[in-house]
Amino acid sequence: WSPPGGPRASFALRRPRRAVPSARRPELPGLVPPSICLLIFGMAGFELLATLEGRITERVSFGATPTGGYRSDVHFEGRLQGKINGAMKGIDYVLERKGFAELNVRGMIKTDDGALISIEITGFWFPSGEIRDVMARFQTGSPQYQWLHQKIVVGKGTNIGDKLIVKYYYLP
């Protein structure tokens, strides 16, 4: 695709980028604001919501993308235990970049009491196996889990081989 007038015509429409002082630059340039990084690393004021112990069931690779990086789908399933108990499964739409991967999860939780909860997660994976879920958002029609709609939820965990362990925390 090229904009009308050829590929160079779009340059006139772009706004110049302002330089960000290096002391204020987030660890992942342009992707995560420093305040969110503090929440992920410090966890001050957060309480444990649940722990996911799961496994990767399938990987589908789509190869290099035109915007850079490699696209793949990672299917997973596991068990949540904590203030939410049940089975969780989903697909992580991964974009691998140099030194990290962007995570974009869509999944569902079927709780032990029969409720269905939709979950969306955005985050990062690092070659060390570390997972940092910057945000988890829940949606459900089940009255007993409506409280999740207003909560700020983040996660920290690991992915070694096909094994996943992620602890989800929330601000009460």
Side-chain angles (χ1 to χ4, degrees):
W1 179 85
S2 285
R8 296 194 178 270
S10 65
F11 290 126
L13 302 175
R14 293 186 183 154
R15 298 171 79 185
R17 296 179 78 183
R18 292 186 353 202
V20 176
S22 61
R24 294 179 52 217
R25 191 171 292 151
E27 181 180 282
L28 302 169
L31 297 176
V32 181
S35 59
I36 296 297
C37 288
L38 175 64
L39 292 176
I40 295 295
F41 301 122
M43 300 306 228
F46 281 75
E47 291 183 11
L48 183 64
L49 174 64
T51 300
L52 170 67
E53 291 188 18
R55 65 185 183 90
I56 294 171
T57 58
E58 183 181 6
R59 296 175 200 259
V60 180
S61 179
F62 297 97
T65 66
T67 58
Y70 291 87
R71 253 283 284 128
S72 59
D73 289 354
V74 178
H75 301 245
F76 69 93
E77 62 184 27
R79 177 103 184 121
L80 272 177
Q81 292 186 303
K83 295 187 181 186
I84 302 173
N85 294 298
M88 181 173 164
K89 66 180 177 178
I91 302 175
D92 192 345
Y93 303 98
V94 178
L95 182 60
E96 297 176 40
R97 299 190 180 273
K98 186 176 180 179
F100 69 96
E102 295 177 42
L103 307 180
N104 184 0
V105 175
R106 299 294 183 269
M108 68 164 272
I109 301 165
K110 183 172 184 178
T111 65
D112 291 346
D113 57 7
L116 294 176
I117 303 171
S118 171
I119 184 168
E120 297 177 32
I121 303 168
T122 56
F124 301 96
W125 173 89
F126 297 90
S128 65
E130 181 181 7
I131 297 171
R132 297 180 198 164
D133 290 335
V134 176
M135 179 195 72
R137 181 183 311 162
F138 300 88
Q139 294 183 24
T140 184
S142 299
Q144 67 269 37
Y145 295 102
Q146 295 284 313
W147 61 275
L148 288 168
H149 296 173
Q150 293 83 34
K151 297 299 179 187
I152 295 173
V153 179
V154 296
K156 289 178 73 169
T158 58
N159 165 221
I160 306 296
D162 286 342
K163 187 176 180 180
L164 297 168
I165 299 176
V166 182
K167 292 183 181 280
Y168 292 98
Y169 299 87
Y170 75 104
L171 277 176

